[in-house]
Amino acid sequence: ADGRVLALEAARAAEASVADEDVELANPLLRPPPGTASKAKDRSSAGAVAGAPGMGFGAAFGEAEEVLWPSTGLRVRIVDATGKLRKHHLKKCVVDRRNSAKKVVDVKIEGTGEVVCAVPQSLLETVVSKGCIRVEVVRGPHRGCVAELLVRNSKLNVAVICLDDGGDFGDLEVPLDDVCEFA
């Protein structure tokens, strides 16, 4: 009986730790700078590759999706033409809640306000609309940084951004799929 109680307490502590991590990572201002060790990286397996935004590109190329990239408040699009979420296919929504342990998010559909729960990140893609000014970098060495969008070229799939972290990076050219706008 004592073993079950200890296992239950350990499970609750692990769940609380994941919930704390979700709260920390949900706010871009509370995230650690890119390249620093985080709780998620400490728990990850060796050789895992950071999750890719968009239509599950990381999974499509056989890479492990380690990081839950959709942050609370980001505008994303559901991409599921034939699956369980086909009625929401190509609809824009805003990330409402995230569960990093299960790699899913709850989203609120724009226009209707309907909440769709437990959407896998592999069914989401980034959104950067024409009038967008502020974005979050969701992939690459500057992942987690908030930036000002200077240029958006959807034909070339390129975004030019200026990072807000005070570093001397100047204007950076990144793939458009590597940034996502705030709602």
Side-chain angles (χ1 to χ4, degrees):
D2 290 334
R4 288 187 209 154
V5 171
L6 291 176
L8 181 60
E9 288 175 7
R12 285 183 180 151
E15 186 175 322
S17 174
V18 169
D20 289 344
E21 179 185 332
D22 283 346
V23 169
E24 291 172 6
L25 296 177
N27 184 342
L29 299 175
L30 297 178
R31 288 191 200 126
T36 60
S38 71
K39 295 177 197 173
K41 287 182 184 175
D42 292 326
R43 288 192 306 256
S44 66
S45 60
V49 178
M55 301 181 333
F57 294 123
F61 293 114
E63 299 171 354
E65 292 192 51
E66 173 191 332
V67 178
L68 182 64
W69 64 265
S71 299
T72 303
L74 290 182
R75 181 171 283 129
V76 295
R77 180 179 289 114
I78 296 175
V79 182
D80 189 13
T82 59
K84 187 171 97 174
L85 299 174
R86 67 182 165 274
K87 81 175 196 175
H88 302 295
H89 180 59
L90 298 182
K91 291 192 177 172
K92 290 182 183 176
C93 44
V94 177
V95 177
D96 193 38
R97 275 183 64 190
R98 23 178 294 137
N99 183 332
S100 62
K102 295 182 180 179
K103 305 284 189 285
V104 297
V105 296
D106 297 347
V107 296
K108 189 178 287 188
I109 305 292
E110 289 186 348
T112 66
E114 178 184 357
V115 175
V116 181
C117 297
V119 179
Q121 75 175 358
S122 61
L123 298 181
L124 298 174
E125 69 180 12
T126 60
V127 172
V128 181
S129 36
K130 292 178 184 173
C132 176
I133 300 171
R134 313 240 348 118
V135 295
E136 179 178 333
V137 180
V138 296
R139 184 175 174 202
H142 302 289
R143 183 180 60 81
C145 293
V146 177
E148 179 182 355
L149 180 66
L150 303 174
V151 177
R152 170 191 173 273
N153 188 332
S154 57
K155 290 180 181 170
L156 297 176
N157 193 37
V158 170
V160 178
I161 60 171
C162 179
L163 295 177
D164 291 345
D165 67 356
D168 270 339
F169 295 108
D171 297 348
L172 291 175
E173 189 174 297
V174 297
L176 194 56
D177 294 333
D178 288 2
V179 295
C180 191
E181 74 175 74
F182 289 99

